[in-house]
Amino acid sequence: MNIRRWSFGFLAATLLVPGLAACKSDAAEPAAAPSASAPAVPADPKEALLASTKEMAKGDFTFTIAGADLTGGGLVHKPSNSAQLTMKMGDASEDVSMEMDLIYIDSESWVRMEIGGAMAAMVPELSKNKGKYQHLDKTKAKDIKDLQLDPESLDPVDSETLVKGVTEVQKTGEGTYAGKIDISAASTESVALDEDVVKALGAQAKALPFTAKLDPQGRLTELVISVPAAGEAAAHDIKIGYAGYGAGTGAQKPPADKVVEASAETYEMFK
């Protein structure tokens, strides 16, 4: 089963913070007004966008994402060496639907999955831990990309790489920008992108329309990429939102009575 067909990557992973169920524009608004010491936003539009992701290096923010077949959100909190990602992919009317919650704290990680659609009936083993968080053996998960959520990587969406793909941009208003973006280089790094769709786009992937919003401190709060129909995917928008810069509290361990050891089927399905 190719989880990345839903842009799960990591993601994987696809996410539990404000706005996790959808990527609403109001979730991307700044959490606080700029201070007197806030850095000046570069006048050049491209430089402003490049600078907008630098705050993520501090590893303390929340994010939301939404695409053709997924919604989700998450948090990264480097001060506590923790991160969390939840995603919902597909729907029950399709062959496969999945809800996933991945928690990472220090060297430990847990995953909770809810499998629906035809896949649940065909492979009942995947549903036997419904409602439980599966504790992952790091020696078994270390080579499985979709079961890795390392806060040292800071941003599962990897907006820094996405923004580096901007080829044309102009400022359209106070803190708003629009232009063209090349997503081909980021297709293997960002949870927001589906590799299969990017491949189906071909040359179109190098010049997709986008809009972006920055808060008064120049930090990225919203990135929207318009993706045309390609392959089996209908036209859709990829919406990414950021909030809570510097205001996080970290991920929490799942309740002990909800934890079991991960099954062999869990590791196998992500290989």
Side-chain angles (χ1 to χ4, degrees):
M1 184 166 104
N2 184 1
I3 298 299
R4 287 196 63 88
R5 63 172 288 197
W6 289 295
S7 307
F8 190 58
F10 245 0
L11 122 227
T14 152
L15 329 144
L16 273 168
V17 292
L20 71 89
C23 186
K24 300 179 181 179
S25 60
D26 57 356
E29 292 301 315
S35 66
S37 60
V41 179
D44 180 80
K46 179 65 178 290
E47 291 303 317
L49 289 180
L50 291 174
S52 72
T53 62
K54 294 187 182 302
E55 184 78 9
M56 294 170 196
K58 297 179 181 179
D60 190 356
F61 56 87
T62 65
F63 63 91
T64 55
I65 60 174
D69 294 315
L70 71 85
T71 57
L75 66 86
V76 175
H77 193 248
K78 192 173 181 181
S80 63
N81 197 34
S82 69
Q84 189 161 5
L85 177 68
T86 57
M87 289 188 136
K88 181 178 181 180
M89 298 155 281
D91 61 55
S93 66
E94 298 180 355
D95 290 339
V96 180
S97 66
M98 176 187 289
E99 294 184 27
M100 180 169 177
D101 181 9
L102 182 66
I103 300 172
Y104 178 105
I105 301 175
D106 290 324
S107 61
E108 290 192 278
S109 55
W110 301 261
V111 63
R112 180 182 62 80
M113 296 183 294
E114 301 291 340
I115 309 296
M119 179 62 74
M122 292 189 299
V123 191
E125 292 84 359
L126 297 180
S127 300
K128 67 182 181 182
N129 287 318
K130 184 176 181 179
K132 298 290 187 178
Y133 282 85
Q134 299 182 59
H135 180 256
L136 298 170
D137 183 336
K138 61 183 179 182
T139 63
K140 297 179 180 179
K142 66 183 178 66
D143 295 324
I144 305 175
K145 185 177 181 181
D146 287 345
L147 289 179
Q148 302 300 311
L149 184 53
D150 185 354
E152 290 301 316
S153 66
L154 301 182
D155 181 15
V157 182
D158 198 10
S159 287
E160 180 179 11
T161 299
L162 286 171
V163 168
K164 286 179 180 178
V166 169
T167 56
E168 301 175 23
V169 60
Q170 60 182 338
K171 188 173 182 179
T172 56
E174 191 60 38
T176 62
Y177 301 82
K180 296 291 181 66
I181 188 170
D182 178 357
I183 64 171
S184 58
S187 64
T188 61
E189 301 300 327
S190 175
V191 62
L193 302 179
D194 186 320
E195 287 184 77
D196 292 339
V197 173
V198 174
K199 289 178 181 178
L201 285 169
Q204 291 185 88
K206 295 182 176 296
L208 298 183
F210 82 92
T211 60
K213 293 181 181 179
L214 311 186
D215 67 13
Q217 292 173 278
R219 302 173 299 194
L220 184 66
T221 61
E222 182 181 273
L223 178 65
V224 180
I225 302 171
S226 297
V227 181
E232 298 180 359
H236 63 281
D237 286 343
I238 296 170
K239 299 181 180 181
I240 302 164
Y242 291 94
Y245 287 108
T249 57
Q252 301 297 311
K253 288 185 178 182
D257 62 350
K258 297 292 185 181
V259 175
V260 297
E261 288 301 312
S263 66
E265 291 84 5
T266 296
Y267 298 109
E268 187 63 29
M269 73 178 290
F270 286 99
K271 289 182 179 179

